[in-house]
Coordinates of all heavy atoms in Angstrom, one line a residue:
A228 N -13.2 -14.4 -8.1 CA -12.3 -13.4 -8.8 C -13.1 -12.6 -9.7 O -12.9 -11.4 -9.8 CB -11.2 -14.2 -9.6
E229 N -14.1 -13.1 -10.4 CA -15.0 -12.3 -11.3 C -15.8 -11.3 -10.4 O -15.9 -10.2 -10.8 CB -16.0 -13.2 -11.9 CG -15.4 -14.1 -13.1 CD -16.4 -15.1 -13.6 OE1 -17.6 -15.0 -13.4 OE2 -15.9 -16.0 -14.3
R230 N -16.3 -11.7 -9.3 CA -17.1 -10.7 -8.4 C -16.2 -9.6 -7.9 O -16.6 -8.5 -7.8 CB -17.7 -11.4 -7.2 CG -18.7 -12.5 -7.6 CD -20.0 -12.0 -8.3 NE -19.9 -12.1 -9.7 CZ -20.0 -13.2 -10.5 NH1 -20.4 -14.3 -9.9 NH2 -20.0 -13.2 -11.7
I231 N -14.9 -10.0 -7.5 CA -14.0 -8.9 -7.1 C -13.8 -7.9 -8.2 O -13.8 -6.7 -8.0 CB -12.6 -9.6 -6.6 CG1 -12.9 -10.4 -5.3 CG2 -11.6 -8.4 -6.3 CD1 -11.7 -11.3 -5.0
Y232 N -13.5 -8.4 -9.4 CA -13.2 -7.6 -10.5 C -14.4 -6.7 -10.8 O -14.3 -5.5 -11.0 CB -12.9 -8.4 -11.8 CG -12.7 -7.6 -13.0 CD1 -11.5 -7.0 -13.3 CD2 -13.7 -7.4 -13.9 CE1 -11.3 -6.2 -14.4 CE2 -13.6 -6.6 -15.1 CZ -12.3 -6.0 -15.3 OH -12.1 -5.2 -16.4
E233 N -15.6 -7.3 -10.8 CA -16.8 -6.5 -11.0 C -17.0 -5.4 -10.0 O -17.4 -4.3 -10.3 CB -18.1 -7.4 -11.0 CG -18.1 -8.4 -12.2 CD -19.2 -9.4 -12.1 OE1 -19.9 -9.5 -11.0 OE2 -19.4 -10.1 -13.1
V234 N -16.8 -5.7 -8.7 CA -17.0 -4.7 -7.6 C -15.9 -3.6 -7.8 O -16.2 -2.4 -7.7 CB -16.8 -5.3 -6.2 CG1 -16.7 -4.3 -5.2 CG2 -18.1 -6.3 -6.0
V235 N -14.7 -3.9 -8.2 CA -13.7 -2.9 -8.3 C -14.0 -2.0 -9.5 O -13.9 -0.8 -9.5 CB -12.3 -3.5 -8.5 CG1 -11.3 -2.5 -9.0 CG2 -11.8 -4.2 -7.3
M236 N -14.5 -2.6 -10.6 CA -14.8 -1.9 -11.8 C -16.1 -1.3 -11.9 O -16.4 -0.5 -12.8 CB -14.5 -2.8 -13.1 CG -13.1 -3.4 -13.1 SD -11.8 -2.1 -13.1 CE -12.1 -1.3 -14.6
G237 N -17.0 -1.7 -11.0 CA -18.4 -1.2 -11.0 C -19.2 -1.8 -12.2 O -20.1 -1.1 -12.7
E238 N -18.9 -3.0 -12.6 CA -19.5 -3.7 -13.7 C -20.3 -4.9 -13.2 O -20.3 -5.3 -12.0 CB -18.4 -4.1 -14.7 CG -17.6 -3.0 -15.3 CD -16.5 -3.4 -16.1 OE1 -16.3 -4.7 -16.2 OE2 -15.8 -2.6 -16.7
G239 N -21.0 -5.6 -14.2 CA -21.6 -6.8 -13.8 C -22.6 -6.7 -12.7 O -23.4 -5.8 -12.7
M240 N -22.4 -7.6 -11.7 CA -23.4 -7.6 -10.6 C -23.2 -6.4 -9.7 O -24.1 -6.1 -8.9 CB -23.1 -8.9 -9.7 CG -23.5 -10.2 -10.4 SD -23.4 -11.6 -9.3 CE -24.8 -11.4 -8.3
A241 N -22.1 -5.7 -9.8 CA -21.8 -4.5 -9.0 C -22.3 -3.2 -9.7 O -22.3 -2.1 -9.0 CB -20.4 -4.4 -8.7
K242 N -22.7 -3.3 -10.9 CA -23.1 -2.1 -11.7 C -24.3 -1.4 -11.0 O -25.3 -2.0 -10.6 CB -23.6 -2.5 -13.1 CG -23.8 -1.3 -13.9 CD -24.0 -1.6 -15.4 CE -24.1 -0.3 -16.2 NZ -23.6 -0.4 -17.5
G243 N -24.1 -0.1 -10.8 CA -25.1 0.7 -10.1 C -25.2 0.7 -8.6 O -26.0 1.3 -8.1
R244 N -24.3 -0.1 -8.0 CA -24.4 -0.2 -6.6 C -23.3 0.7 -6.0 O -22.4 1.1 -6.6 CB -24.0 -1.6 -6.2 CG -25.0 -2.7 -6.6 CD -24.6 -4.0 -6.0 NE -25.4 -5.1 -6.6 CZ -26.0 -6.0 -5.9 NH1 -25.8 -6.0 -4.6 NH2 -26.7 -6.9 -6.5
P245 N -23.6 1.2 -4.8 CA -22.6 2.0 -4.1 C -21.4 1.2 -3.8 O -21.4 0.0 -3.8 CB -23.3 2.3 -2.7 CG -24.7 1.8 -2.8 CD -24.8 0.9 -4.0
E246 N -20.3 2.0 -3.6 CA -19.0 1.3 -3.2 C -19.0 1.0 -1.7 O -19.3 2.0 -0.9 CB -17.8 2.3 -3.6 CG -17.7 2.4 -5.1 CD -16.5 3.3 -5.5 OE1 -16.0 4.0 -4.6 OE2 -16.2 3.3 -6.7
Y247 N -18.7 -0.1 -1.3 CA -18.6 -0.5 0.1 C -17.1 -0.9 0.4 O -16.3 -1.2 -0.4 CB -19.5 -1.7 0.4 CG -20.9 -1.4 0.2 CD1 -21.7 -1.7 -0.9 CD2 -21.6 -0.7 1.2 CE1 -23.0 -1.4 -1.1 CE2 -23.0 -0.4 1.2 CZ -23.6 -0.7 0.1 OH -25.0 -0.4 -0.1
L248 N -16.9 -0.8 1.7 CA -15.5 -1.1 2.2 C -15.3 -2.6 2.2 O -14.2 -3.0 1.8 CB -15.3 -0.6 3.6 CG -14.0 -0.9 4.3 CD1 -12.8 -0.3 3.6 CD2 -14.1 -0.4 5.8

Side-chain angles (χ1 to χ4, degrees):
E229 288 173 16
R230 297 299 92 79
I231 294 168
Y232 178 83
E233 291 172 354
V234 168
V235 169
M236 302 307 293
E238 300 173 356
M240 292 185 77
K242 188 172 182 144
R244 295 182 188 231
E246 292 181 349
Y247 292 99
L248 177 63

